[in-house]
Amino acid sequence: MHTRLNQAQPYALGLFRVVVGLLFACHGAASLFGVLGGAMGGGSIPAGTWPGWYAAVIQLVGGSLVVLGLGTRTAALISSGSMAYAYFKVHQPEALFPLQNGGEPSAVFCWVFLLLVFTGPGALALDRLFSRGGAESDGEDRAREQAPAVTV
C-alpha cells in the first residue's frame, strides 16, 4: 500500500498544484476583469490601486505559472508572500483568528504556496522540460528517496 502511494505522490502533488493554481488565478481574474462574480461581489479593481490591483496581478500571473508548473517554486514563494501580506495587513487587524477576521483564504493560500516552495511542482509540470534530468520531476525523485528501505 505504501509503495503504491509513494509511486502516486508526484501525480497527486501535480494535481494539487494545478487545482490550487487555478483557484488562485481565478481570484486574480475576478479582481482584474470583473469575471466570475468580480472583485468584492462585482466589478473590477481600478488599475494601479494599492494593494488590491497588485495582489490581483500576482494572483493571476502566479496562479497561472503554478498551474503550468513553470517557475513553480518562485511563483509559489511570491504568491505565499502576497497572501501573508494580505492576512497581516488587511485581515489580522480586524480580529486575532482567521475565522473571526475573514482571512481564512489568505491564510490557507499562504501556507499552501509555501508548501509548494518546498515540495516542488510534482509530475506533469513544464519545469520538467527545462530541468537537467528532463525525464523525472523533483517529486518523483523525492518519492524514491522517501520510500522506506526494507531489508530482510
Side-chain angles (χ1 to χ4, degrees):
M1 173 87 167
H2 290 290
T3 303
R4 288 193 139 193
L5 290 174
N6 285 337
Q7 289 172 344
Q9 181 182 10
Y11 300 99
L13 184 58
L15 181 60
F16 173 79
R17 172 186 47 80
V18 168
V19 170
V20 167
L22 183 61
L23 291 172
F24 201 59
C26 285
H27 275 280
S31 297
L32 290 173
F33 308 120
V35 297
L36 306 170
M40 307 293 250
S44 61
I45 296 175
T49 306
W50 177 259
W53 185 82
Y54 294 94
V57 169
I58 290 171
Q59 290 168 354
L60 181 62
V61 173
S64 298
L65 289 172
V66 168
V67 165
L68 296 171
L70 187 60
T72 304
R73 290 177 187 224
T74 303
L77 181 64
I78 293 168
S79 298
S80 177
S82 76
M83 290 295 96
Y85 178 87
Y87 181 77
F88 287 110
K89 197 69 172 173
V90 176
H91 298 286
Q92 199 275 328
E94 299 296 320
L96 180 61
F97 296 109
L99 186 59
Q100 297 171 316
N101 63 30
E104 291 160 307
S106 296
V108 170
F109 274 126
C110 176
W111 286 103
V112 162
F113 283 118
L114 189 62
L115 179 66
L116 285 174
V117 170
F118 288 96
T119 62
L124 307 174
L126 289 180
D127 283 339
R128 272 176 74 177
L129 297 176
F130 303 110
S131 68
R132 280 178 270 167
E136 297 182 11
S137 73
D138 291 340
E140 290 169 343
D141 293 338
R142 191 174 306 101
R144 251 189 246 101
E145 291 169 5
Q146 291 176 350
V150 180
T151 56
V152 181

